[in-house]
Amino acid sequence: MERAAQEQELAGLKMEGAGFISHEGRAYSEEENAVWKLLCERRMAKLPETACEAWLEGVEKLKMPLDRVPLFDELNANLRPLTRWELRAVNGFIPAEMFFGSMAKRQFPSTLEIRPMDRLEYLQEPDIFHDVFGHVPMHTDPVFADFVQEYGQLVTELDDRDKFDAMARLWWYTVEFGLVEEAGQVKLYGSGLMSSFGEADNVFDGGPEIRPFDLDEVISTPFRIDIYQPIFWVAEGFDQLRDSVQELRRRWAEELTN
Ligand SMILES: [Fe+2]
């Protein structure tokens, strides 16, 4: 595994001064709003058929604007009463402890910045379209919301590199690139699929291998961030994800007592 790449995605580039910032006062230009609108139009041409119900319903429940960049206050006003999650603004990659500590508190860290018009499809680091359009609708689902909080809590308790790697893979293959079965069909829920174009299409083109979710396979399969994913795992439901965190917690607690 490209450990450096994995650390970059999950532990974050430890940018000088990176951390939480105020989301207030960030006004979006006409061009930035046009980027959001264009990205939404392109993805919404496909997602009603390919996204899972929880994500589609989440967009509705949040009343997420599709024609301009959403403001955190308006999304939080709709998100908090549903699952007690909220968005918090960050300026770039934040250290792992801050990232997972934030998840444990039901605070989803998101950048306020949006990709420029001339780089709609290629991005090296997440922007607000990935963070908010990709991730946040899933946080309106109570089971998924609990899963991510319990995930963050467990990561903050780890002091072992191998366990951290296992959790990084679990995040990657679920929150970022997860698939779920609904009424016999494979649907998207991973934020990396919601917010991308080619990779999401590729899932349904027969290219990648699609397997039933298996916790042990997932946590032992290294990933790369610079290629289309060759393997995806399909969950039976989001309770399977929450159960997997509880399973790892139990296993690792048992290890300590043996
Ligand atoms: Fe992400």
Side-chain angles (χ1 to χ4, degrees):
M1 170 60 210
E2 291 67 13
R3 182 163 285 204
Q6 184 176 346
E7 283 177 351
Q8 177 180 323
E9 169 68 16
L10 283 138
L13 294 172
K14 298 205 173 173
M15 265 174 50
E16 218 37 56
F20 293 112
I21 54 170
S22 169
H23 59 267
E24 285 164 11
R26 176 66 170 89
Y28 293 94
S29 68
E30 243 173 68
E31 175 157 326
E32 286 173 322
N33 282 321
V35 168
W36 178 274
K37 183 167 183 254
L38 193 55
L39 291 168
C40 287
E41 280 170 359
R42 288 195 187 176
R43 289 309 287 129
M44 287 314 241
K46 303 242 169 126
L47 287 170
E49 278 76 50
T50 56
C52 69
E53 267 174 43
W55 185 90
L56 291 167
E57 285 173 8
V59 171
E60 297 291 318
K61 289 177 187 166
L62 292 168
K63 299 188 177 68
M64 185 181 293
L66 301 177
D67 59 347
R68 61 168 173 82
V69 184
L71 301 176
F72 282 17
D73 283 341
E74 61 185 343
L75 295 178
N76 282 339
N78 297 324
L79 180 57
R80 279 195 203 101
L82 291 171
T83 57
R84 295 179 289 112
W85 271 83
E86 62 181 0
L87 275 158
R88 280 197 73 185
V90 290
N91 57 350
F93 282 109
I94 57 175
E97 318 83 72
M98 203 183 278
F99 182 79
F100 293 113
S102 176
M103 299 294 176
K105 289 188 280 188
R106 291 185 175 251
Q107 294 175 340
F108 191 83
S110 167
T111 175
L112 295 168
E113 303 310 313
I114 188 158
R115 65 194 74 180
M117 191 62 94
D118 60 1
R119 282 199 299 131
L120 289 185
E121 302 201 19
Y122 177 72
L123 272 192
Q124 277 194 325
E125 58 182 87
D127 69 341
I128 191 172
F129 186 70
H130 172 83
D131 286 343
V132 169
F133 182 90
H135 280 277
V136 177
M138 289 306 298
H139 289 247
T140 63
D141 181 273
V143 178
F144 192 89
D146 285 350
F147 153 60
V148 181
Q149 189 215 335
E150 289 177 34
Y151 175 98
Q153 182 59 43
L154 183 55
V155 174
T156 60
E157 294 167 19
L158 298 180
D159 54 6
D160 177 298
R161 182 73 234 179
D162 290 339
K163 292 187 176 84
F164 185 84
D165 285 350
M167 291 299 276
R169 292 166 184 168
L170 180 61
W171 180 271
W172 186 258
Y173 292 119
T174 61
V175 177
E176 295 292 340
F177 287 99
L179 304 175
V180 64
E181 187 178 326
E182 282 179 353
Q185 288 193 305
V186 171
K187 300 285 186 173
L188 313 174
Y189 72 84
S191 58
L193 297 168
M194 298 308 179
S195 63
S196 80
F197 305 92
E199 179 127 32
D201 288 346
N202 195 44
V203 169
F204 299 105
D205 287 349
E209 198 181 325
I210 295 183
R211 304 181 185 175
F213 183 82
D214 180 294
L215 177 59
D216 288 300
E217 279 182 18
V218 164
I219 63 174
S220 58
T221 305
F223 61 85
R224 287 179 56 180
I225 65 169
D226 58 333
I227 55 167
Y228 279 173
Q229 302 305 303
I231 311 174
F232 291 89
W233 279 272
V234 185
E236 290 166 7
F238 303 123
D239 45 357
Q240 195 175 24
L241 307 182
R242 195 185 49 193
D243 291 349
S244 68
V245 173
Q246 291 168 0
E247 164 69 16
L248 290 174
R249 174 182 287 286
R250 213 191 53 240
R251 267 190 216 177
W252 293 337
E254 264 171 30
E255 266 179 33
L256 286 177
T257 54
N258 288 338

